[in-house]
């Protein structure tokens, strides 16, 4: 367990292949960028933009079985950064499980190459411009707002309101 000073823009890179390992990130109040792989990655109580992208040495998050995100909170300062998605995930094989607070205002886009989308939100399937994408789903939560973008190549995506 490591503690990080408040209001730090944190960039983390790692490769963990040991079975059963879970990397947890919680109670962070600024931007977080993660590049790497671990069997399970969990993010909780994040209040700044979160980016999970290609891992170290240009490998995508391929050894990850599950990415879990809950209690994701947008703050007013996030709305000043129009060009930065609030949540941006690229994963090769992992399932992505996102629970959003009921008050979140977001514009959501999910691209699924081989997996499926499961959601209790009003997501609409679009015809993707790029033919390799099996399905592109878009939706506005509470009228729309900051962008949430999820690109899942082989995993399933679960996105819902927190209860």
């Amino acid at each position: 367990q490591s503690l990080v000073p408040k209001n730090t823009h944190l960039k983390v890179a790692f490769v963990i292949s040991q079975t059963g390992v879970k990397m947890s990130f919680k109670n962070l109040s600024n931007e977080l960028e993660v590049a790497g792989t671990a069997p399970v990655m969990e993010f909780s109580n994040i209040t700044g933009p979160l980016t999970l992208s290609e891992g170290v040495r240009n490998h995508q998050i391929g050894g990850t079985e599950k990415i879990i995100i809950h209690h994701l909170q947008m703050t007013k300062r996030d709305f000043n950064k129009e060009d930065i998605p609030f949540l941006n995930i690229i994963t090769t094989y992992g399932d992505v499980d996102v629970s959003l607070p009921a008050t979140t205002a977001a514009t959501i886009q999910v691209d699924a190459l081989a997996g499926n989308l499961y959601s209790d939100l009003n997501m609409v399937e679009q015809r993707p411009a790029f033919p390799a994408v099996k399905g592109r789903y878009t939706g506005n939560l509470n009228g729309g707002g900051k962008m949430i973008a999820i690109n899942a190549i082989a995993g399933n995506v679960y996105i819902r309101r927190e209860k």
Side-chain angles (χ1 to χ4, degrees):
Q1 179 174 344
S2 297
L3 298 176
V4 177
K6 287 187 178 211
N7 299 319
T8 299
H9 178 143
L10 183 62
K11 291 184 180 184
V12 180
F14 53 86
V15 175
I16 299 173
S17 57
Q18 183 178 351
T19 308
V21 172
K22 177 168 81 171
M23 289 289 292
S24 294
F25 299 86
K26 57 186 174 183
N27 303 323
L28 295 171
S29 60
N30 213 345
E31 191 167 353
L32 172 61
E33 295 181 59
V34 175
T37 182
V40 176
M41 288 191 271
E42 183 174 22
F43 301 86
S44 178
N45 295 315
I46 306 293
T47 59
L50 170 59
T51 302
L52 296 148
S53 60
E54 291 188 8
V56 295
R57 297 190 205 127
N58 295 323
H59 293 289
Q60 290 184 329
I61 302 173
T64 300
E65 298 166 15
K66 186 166 239 180
I67 298 168
I68 304 164
I69 300 169
H70 49 93
H71 305 301
L72 193 63
Q73 300 287 332
M74 289 186 216
T75 61
K76 289 192 184 239
R77 66 178 160 73
D78 296 318
F79 291 100
N80 297 329
K81 300 176 182 178
E82 289 298 325
D83 56 335
I84 299 174
F86 185 71
L87 174 61
N88 188 15
I89 298 174
I90 299 172
T91 181
T92 304
Y93 300 106
D95 287 344
V96 178
D97 189 341
V98 180
S99 299
L100 297 169
T103 57
T104 300
T107 299
I108 303 167
Q109 177 178 304
V110 176
D111 285 344
L113 178 62
N116 295 305
L117 170 68
Y118 301 95
S119 179
D120 65 357
L121 307 178
N122 292 326
M123 302 291 287
V124 176
E125 187 167 7
Q126 304 284 316
R127 180 176 297 267
F130 185 63
V133 175
K134 174 183 158 190
R136 169 167 286 171
Y137 304 88
T138 59
N140 289 325
L141 183 57
N142 294 322
K146 288 294 286 183
M147 176 63 76
I148 291 176
I150 301 171
N151 185 325
I153 295 172
N156 292 321
V157 176
Y158 305 85
I159 188 162
R160 63 186 150 268
R161 294 180 205 264
E162 285 182 359
K163 295 185 174 26

